[in-house]
Each structure stands twice: as C-alpha cells, then as structure tokens.
C-alpha cells in the first residue's frame, strides 16, 4: 500500500453493512402493547422495592437474634424475635437514614460538577472541552 492511498483511506468513511441486522431476527413489538409492558415493568420494580425493604427489616432483626444465639449457644427464633424486634426496627431505620444520606452526598458530589458542565455547555461542544472533562473525572475519582 502506498502512502497516498493510506491518506485517502483515512478520509473515507467506513462502509457499513446491514448483514447483522438482517441475520438476527428482532421480535416485532406492537405499539399498542408497550403500555402493558411498561405497567408490568413498573409492577415488578415496585414489588422488588417492597421485597428489598421487607428483607432489610428481617435482616436487621435477625442480626440481633444471631448475636444473642452465638452468645447463648442456643437459637430460639420466636423468642428472639419478641425480644429484639424493637431494636431491629431502630437499626432498620438507621440503615435507611444512612443509605439515603449517602446517596444524597453522592448526588451532590456528582450532581454539582455535572450541573456546572451542563450550564457551561461542555456537553453540547464536547470536543473543545475534553481537558476539562478529563480533569473533572480525575478530581471526582481521587
């Protein structure tokens, strides 16, 4: 290959092939059924969220039952639940406050620089602001 052909090769856009799209059969989704799928997805997400909170509460109480069982060298779940469910509930609430405050702090640490970059126009003309974006990522990851 000669050097002048190499320069022309770099300037030409690559040819795209639609062979992959025709080889893989994609299922046809009826637009009238999209709302049904969205409702199903929302219901699954809501159910997963409820199950998360239920299991978090159960694990909060069982943490104290486990600790007592190790100390006493015998396990009584019913008796332990009666004894430790109030303490487990307080621990559950503390975990919720801790997780929410952690997400809020992370949201501020990441949200403020992203808001600054958005208002400065870094996302509209990203080629001229690569150094600032790289520097922001380095500062956030340090």
């Amino acid at each position: 290959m000669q050097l002048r052909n190499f320069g022309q090769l770099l300037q030409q856009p690559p040819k795209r092939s639609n062979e992959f799209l025709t080889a893989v059969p994609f299922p046809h989704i009826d637009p009238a059924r999209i709302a049904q799928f969205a409702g199903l997805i929302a219901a699954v997400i809501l159910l997963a969220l409820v199950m998360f909170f239920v299991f978090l509460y159960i694990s909060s109480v069982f943490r104290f039952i486990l600790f007592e069982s190790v100390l006493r060298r015998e396990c009584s779940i019913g008796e332990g639940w009666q004894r430790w469910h109030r303490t487990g509930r307080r621990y559950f609430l503390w975990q919720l406050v801790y997780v929410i405050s952690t997400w809020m702090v992370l949201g501020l640490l990441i949200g403020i620089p992203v808001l600054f970059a958005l208002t400065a126009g870094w996302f509209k003309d990203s080629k001229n602001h690569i150094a600032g974006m790289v520097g922001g990522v380095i500062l956030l990851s340090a």
Side-chain angles (χ1 to χ4, degrees):
M1 179 187 279
Q2 295 178 358
L3 190 57
R4 61 187 168 97
N5 291 340
F6 184 70
Q8 291 175 352
L9 185 68
L10 288 178
Q11 293 175 355
Q12 294 176 354
K15 294 181 181 177
R16 299 187 184 225
S17 173
N18 291 334
E19 292 176 18
F20 177 74
L21 294 176
T22 57
V24 178
F26 288 107
H28 175 69
I29 297 176
D30 185 19
R33 299 189 71 193
I34 290 178
Q36 292 174 348
F37 289 126
L40 181 65
I41 291 171
V44 167
I45 289 172
L46 183 66
L47 180 66
L49 194 62
V50 168
M51 293 301 293
F52 169 76
F53 286 121
V54 167
F55 283 125
L56 184 64
Y57 175 71
I58 291 171
S59 73
S60 298
V61 176
F62 268 88
R63 179 172 298 236
F64 293 101
I65 294 172
L66 174 66
F67 186 69
E68 182 185 40
S69 298
V70 169
L71 288 178
R72 289 187 174 191
R73 294 185 181 175
E74 66 179 66
C75 183
S76 175
I77 294 175
E79 184 181 315
W81 189 272
Q82 299 256 336
R83 185 177 300 132
W84 294 108
H85 76 91
R86 288 184 184 161
T87 308
R89 185 176 15 178
R90 286 192 309 224
Y91 181 62
F92 168 73
L93 292 175
W94 184 86
Q95 282 182 318
L96 287 180
V97 169
Y98 179 73
V99 167
I100 290 170
S101 62
T102 301
W103 280 102
M104 287 175 64
V105 168
L106 282 174
L108 286 174
L109 284 176
I110 295 172
I112 290 175
V114 168
L115 185 64
F116 170 76
L118 190 65
T119 57
W122 287 11
F123 294 119
K124 290 180 183 176
D125 191 22
S126 61
K127 290 184 180 180
N128 294 331
H129 301 287
I130 291 177
M133 287 185 189
V134 170
V137 168
I138 289 172
L139 285 176
L140 282 176
S141 64

